[in-house]
Amino acid sequence: MPFNNQAMALLCLLIPLLPLIGFIVNGLGNRKLAKGMVSLIGCGTVLASFLISVYLFVDFTANGSRAYTVDFYNWISVGNMQIGFSFLIDQLTLLMMLMVTGIGFLIHLYSAGYMSHDENFGKFFAFINLFMFSMLLLVMGSNYVMMFVGWEGVGLCSYLLIGFWNKNTNYNNAAKKAFVMNRIGDLGFLLAIFLIFITFGSVSYPQVFAEAARYTGGIDSTVMITITLLLFVGAMGKSAQIPLFTWLPDAMAGPTPVSALIHAATMVTAGIYMVIRSNVLYVLAPSTMEVIAIVGIATALLAATIGLAQNDIKKVLAYSTVSQLGYMFLALGVMAFDSSIFHVLTHAFFKALLFLGAGSVIHAMSNEQDIRFMGGLRKYLPITFLTFLIGTLAIAGIPPFAGFFSKDELLAHVWEHNKLMWGLGLLTSFMTSFYMFRLVFLTFFGTFRGTEAQKSHLHESPMSMTLPLIVLAILSTIGGFLGIPAVFGENMHVLQNYLAPIYGYAQVANAAAVAPLHIDHATEWMLMGISVAVAVVAIILAYVMYVSKKQVPAAEGTQLSPIHNLIYNKYYIDELYNAIIVRPLMWLSSVFHKVFDVTIVDGIVNGVGKFVMQSSRTLRFAQSGAIGFYILLMVVSIALILFLNFFIG
């Protein structure tokens, strides 16, 4: 086995050991030595995984950038179905590995400081490292079954970490909600895998994609639409799209590093990764792509409007994440695969930064998360403020920060596809810029609105927390230069050039579907100018409202206007789901319990028991204890047997 394959095996085997080690070390108690060991093991092994990923990337590039499969053993063998435990190493895999392990290491380092006072410090690292293993398995696997195993693994870790502080009932309910809603999506994913095997005779990516490129059923065949829609149902659950999006804001119940890693930078982008990985299937189903675009823009717009009225610092970022995920699916829907993965990458930089910055604020504010009780924090938390501001400029799309390049490229593709969708995307961009700077101004500007006890506790976070913020701020500043648009020079889009080989089968299946962007430079300049102008207007509006006029969101219980109240209460979508789904199911389960379970099942079981009891009470009188009676019964029985044997036998 070549050394690079050995390194890949190491990458696979390194992470699964961490949960066990974390639990063992946690058994030492909360002593300083135990926490130091947990931090060293948890952070060090993820750093090792990142370094191995860098090595594989360099080795892959040096050897001609040819995709290859690392086979370990035949995992599942049933009839014609052969599923190997193997990894597919190509451009997309390596990009995701670098993102997962790189961002993951920074968040692990941050967690060492943020969670240092938690009594379950070791358990936290065990769970978050198990997540790293599952996410790597998801992106490295060479077939849909391995992807599904990793998919379920990250779902399990999400459940464990959302409900990490399990003494709080609301947090437990949030964890259960996330688990159930993701299982709904996962059923669609599982059905898609079955249909893929039935259609192509395999679940291995190389075989499935090669067969799909030769597919004779035609564009938009019923089978291909069904497969892609079912896969998208899985993506809707994992990546929080309408109607399966309400779990993600509630997932903020988990520790802030969890929000940064799982619910902003990695796990929630698994749906985008799956669609891009399955690009050849999707280019054969343009109708599905239109559905994805519609769902994406609807999600982006809806979540952005909700973000306008939220007062919890993490909830604002949560709805922002849902909105940005909608952007990514919008790009997928217009078949701008490169733009979607580009936004995945830049979003990982600035959204992880924003969540960790929010964690630094919460840490300083003694766990206060309501921005109505903050204000003026920039002089107490200068590093947090500066890095948070950079992340906000990036998500608002202000040049030269990362979000400007990825968002504007995305919107340019949407412009070419559908002008109405572009207009809605631009409106979403305006709202994003407004609510993010609303968050910045209410948190860091003006006068402090908290208690004196909170004010006396205000301080900058330790180096273990601020160093990841600084690194992520740098990435949020320069990360966009991976995708310099053609207007600044031809062939300068590094990411697009790098990922081009993964669309080989899609080019064969439907070359027109993956054609590059075709707009002239004048139009491109116009679109960029409009996008930046819209973002700047939103910033100025937020400044006037929350700095110049010093407006503060209304206190709890204040009478709000009907529209404000509707948005503040998230359009009552949770209440709607509760009314039309949860309550009817609870009523139905109650009926089944009373009628089927209690009356029928319990009736049969208890009836049999009563029959046996009554029968035994009657038959016991046959046991009188009189020996003469027993002898009489024996003689009569023998005579009866002889009689029957003589006349019948």
Side-chain angles (χ1 to χ4, degrees), residues 124-378:
F124 174 81
F125 268 90
F127 288 168
I128 203 167
N129 282 115
L130 179 61
F131 166 80
M132 293 296 295
F133 162 70
S134 300
M135 190 67 197
L136 286 170
L137 185 64
L138 189 156
V139 300
M140 290 162 56
S142 68
N143 57 69
Y144 283 103
V145 173
M146 287 191 67
M147 181 194 283
F148 186 75
V149 173
W151 190 277
E152 293 302 298
V154 296
L156 170 64
C157 294
S158 176
Y159 166 77
L160 294 173
L161 287 162
I162 293 170
F164 181 75
W165 289 314
N166 50 37
K167 294 180 181 179
N168 187 312
T169 302
N170 291 331
Y171 293 178
N172 292 333
N173 290 337
K176 289 186 288 186
K177 181 178 181 179
F179 190 81
V180 170
M181 294 195 79
N182 272 271
R183 298 295 75 73
I184 296 170
D186 294 351
L187 176 60
F189 188 10
L190 193 59
L191 292 173
I193 294 175
F194 292 150
L195 190 52
I196 286 171
F197 179 76
I198 292 170
T199 305
F200 301 110
S202 175
V203 292
S204 174
Y205 299 147
Q207 296 177 40
V208 170
F209 300 158
E211 288 296 321
R214 297 189 294 266
Y215 185 66
T216 58
I219 304 296
D220 265 346
S221 68
T222 302
V223 171
M224 206 57 65
I225 290 175
T226 305
I227 289 174
T228 51
L229 281 176
L230 287 172
L231 286 173
F232 179 55
V233 169
M236 288 165 66
K238 195 66 71 187
S239 298
Q241 296 298 286
I242 292 174
L244 303 177
F245 75 98
T246 57
W247 69 268
L248 183 57
D250 288 2
M252 298 304 106
T256 300
V258 174
S259 303
L261 179 63
I262 297 183
H263 304 124
T266 55
M267 185 192 84
V268 292
T269 63
I272 292 96
Y273 166 78
M274 178 181 67
V275 174
I276 296 174
R277 173 62 73 195
S278 308
N279 60 83
V280 62
L281 304 180
Y282 280 92
V283 300
L284 289 169
S287 296
T288 300
M289 301 302 275
E290 199 64 30
V291 171
I292 292 175
I294 293 169
V295 171
I297 188 59
T299 303
L301 192 59
L302 179 71
T305 60
I306 296 175
L308 294 171
Q310 297 305 302
N311 298 319
D312 185 309
I313 189 170
K314 288 177 67 176
K315 285 288 181 72
V316 175
L317 297 178
Y319 280 105
S320 171
T321 299
V322 175
S323 183
Q324 295 300 308
L325 290 167
Y327 261 138
M328 297 169 201
F329 278 103
L330 173 60
L332 292 177
V334 300
M335 297 194 183
F337 297 112
D338 288 331
S339 299
S340 183
I341 196 68
F342 187 21
H343 202 57
V344 166
L345 187 62
T346 60
H347 180 263
F349 297 153
F350 59 69
K351 189 52 67 68
L353 169 60
L354 290 168
F355 265 113
L356 296 186
S360 182
V361 170
I362 295 167
H363 177 77
M365 287 289 298
S366 304
N367 297 320
E368 177 63 67
Q369 295 184 198
D370 196 323
I371 58 177
R372 291 174 295 188
F373 304 111
M374 297 181 186
L377 297 184
R378 70 182 189 276

Side-chain angles (χ1 to χ4, degrees), residues 34 46 59 156 158 169 188 236 265 293 296-297 321 355 441 459 490 498 512 542-543 636:
V46 178
D59 178 71
L156 170 64
S158 176
T169 302
M236 288 165 66
I297 188 59
T321 299
F355 265 113
F441 293 143
H459 63 281
E490 296 297 330
Y498 176 71
Y543 182 85
V636 170

Side-chain angles (χ1 to χ4, degrees), residues 566-620:
L566 182 67
I567 296 174
Y568 179 74
N569 288 287
K570 298 158 283 191
Y571 298 100
Y572 298 99
I573 293 174
D574 280 315
E575 289 79 2
L576 178 65
Y577 286 173
N578 192 54
I580 66 175
I581 298 174
V582 177
R583 288 181 181 173
L585 284 176
M586 293 293 288
W587 176 82
L588 191 62
S589 65
S590 177
V591 171
F592 272 106
H593 169 71
K594 293 176 181 178
V595 176
F596 186 77
D597 191 26
V598 175
T599 305
I600 299 176
V601 176
D602 287 353
I604 292 173
V605 173
N606 294 336
V608 171
K610 289 178 180 178
F611 173 76
V612 172
M613 291 292 292
Q614 292 298 331
S615 301
S616 64
R617 287 195 183 102
T618 302
L619 291 173
R620 68 188 177 88

